[in-house]
Amino acid sequence: MAEKNNSLEKALTVLDLFQLHRRITLTFAAQETGFSPAAVSRIMNSLENTGYVYRDRTDGGFYLADKVYLLGRSTNLKRQLINVIDEPISKLCRRTGFSVTVSIREKTHSVTALRKDPKRGLFLTANVSDSISLNCSAGGKILTAFATEPDKLIDEINYVAFTRKTITDKEEFRQHIAVVRAEKVAFDMEEITEGLVCTAVPVLSRDGTAICSISVSGFKDRMIRELYGTIAKMRDTAKECGQLITGD
């Protein structure tokens, strides 16, 4: 019979709590597992030191870290993004003068994790209106193109339209995504709102899949006029964000 590793089993028992709870406290973990507070504290410290969880210094809770995200795609990524890439996103907003949005994928939808506006600053979004079908936005196209199985994802999307320019044909979208993947940039040319144009680039993990998308949006005339210079700044920011998230 194989020898048990009690320390490992205890750590995995604590990690299992994150399947149902995004935020774990030391007291809660001790109550749920039956381990002593001292044992839970040691486990959490070890998990934090090895990069599997992080402690939010504001609320005192523990959350799954990007290391677990890269392994299993199950993390409180919104909070991670707020904590880790606030500064480069703020800098991009200042450099371009446009609104900057960071989005993550939840099944077949692009979900706004955070947005930086030149006038209002940084804010976290958490309502249903900030979830949109992947076919409608530049960020959604990026998240589709750099998914683990983009073709399978394309088949699962519910193709809704916001304007007459929204791509709603599955095969047309599939061809479009192939171009997005090759060029590593996507565009929303008035596909959500008439008069508004958006461009997006990926923040990539080590395996080449998208951790999130970074998009910049503005009124059509100015966006088109400043498009190529803006894309260069976005790519620089995406590279910086990727390094901050993955620790490279």
Side-chain angles (χ1 to χ4, degrees):
M1 182 180 293
E3 182 179 349
K4 288 187 176 182
N5 186 328
N6 289 330
S7 295
L8 177 58
E9 287 187 358
K10 286 182 177 180
L12 292 175
T13 298
V14 172
L15 280 175
D16 278 344
L17 296 176
F18 287 99
Q19 294 190 61
L20 297 177
H21 306 278
R22 289 188 172 185
R23 174 180 178 272
I24 300 295
T25 64
L26 294 176
T27 300
F28 178 82
Q31 291 173 342
E32 290 294 305
T33 62
F35 303 153
S36 70
V40 170
S41 181
R42 288 194 298 270
I43 290 168
M44 285 301 197
N45 286 337
S46 294
L47 291 173
E48 184 176 21
N49 290 337
T50 51
Y52 287 97
V53 304
Y54 74 97
R55 189 198 308 260
D56 189 311
R57 305 301 174 184
T58 302
D59 66 18
F62 288 85
Y63 298 84
L64 290 179
D66 63 277
K67 191 171 187 178
V68 179
Y69 168 70
L70 294 172
L71 289 173
R73 306 300 185 193
S74 178
T75 187
N76 186 0
L77 188 54
K78 284 188 180 183
R79 187 176 295 275
Q80 271 290 91
L81 292 172
I82 287 285
N83 290 343
V84 175
I85 65 175
D86 178 10
E87 179 51 37
I89 295 300
S90 298
K91 183 168 63 177
L92 178 62
C93 185
R94 292 192 299 268
R95 290 179 68 195
T96 63
F98 289 116
S99 294
V100 181
T101 301
V102 176
S103 301
I104 60 175
R105 182 171 69 86
E106 292 185 2
K107 296 183 179 179
T108 60
H109 283 71
S110 169
V111 178
T112 302
L114 60 98
R115 182 177 293 124
K116 186 76 178 180
D117 186 271
K119 296 180 180 179
R120 291 187 289 170
L122 180 71
F123 60 94
L124 176 69
T125 59
N127 56 62
V128 176
S129 64
D130 291 301
S131 173
I132 189 170
S133 185
L134 291 169
N135 68 298
C136 301
S137 67
K141 294 172 184 177
I142 287 290
L143 295 170
T144 302
F146 294 93
T148 305
E149 297 180 284
D151 281 334
K152 181 179 179 181
L153 184 58
I154 289 168
D155 289 334
E156 296 172 349
I157 293 172
N158 179 26
Y159 290 87
V160 299
F162 284 85
T163 74
R164 58 186 178 82
K165 297 183 179 181
T166 309
I167 300 175
T168 56
D169 180 81
K170 182 193 299 184
E171 295 310 314
E172 180 184 355
F173 189 68
R174 196 185 306 275
Q175 294 175 14
H176 186 81
I177 290 303
V179 175
V180 170
R181 187 171 181 85
E183 299 183 351
K184 293 186 178 180
V185 64
F187 302 97
D188 158 14
M189 305 301 288
E190 301 181 276
E191 293 167 54
I192 296 179
T193 304
E194 295 284 352
L196 289 179
V197 168
C198 177
T199 184
V201 297
V203 175
L204 298 175
S205 64
R206 294 184 185 94
D207 65 5
T209 57
I211 298 171
C212 60
S213 67
I214 297 175
S215 58
V216 165
S217 59
F219 289 111
K220 180 179 178 180
D221 290 345
R222 184 187 167 201
M223 275 293 296
I224 292 177
R225 187 170 62 248
E226 301 179 22
L227 191 60
Y228 292 104
T230 299
I231 291 172
K233 295 181 180 72
M234 292 172 66
R235 283 176 166 155
D236 288 343
T237 300
K239 182 178 180 180
E240 182 180 359
C241 290
Q243 291 170 342
L244 287 171
I245 293 171
T246 63
D248 291 339

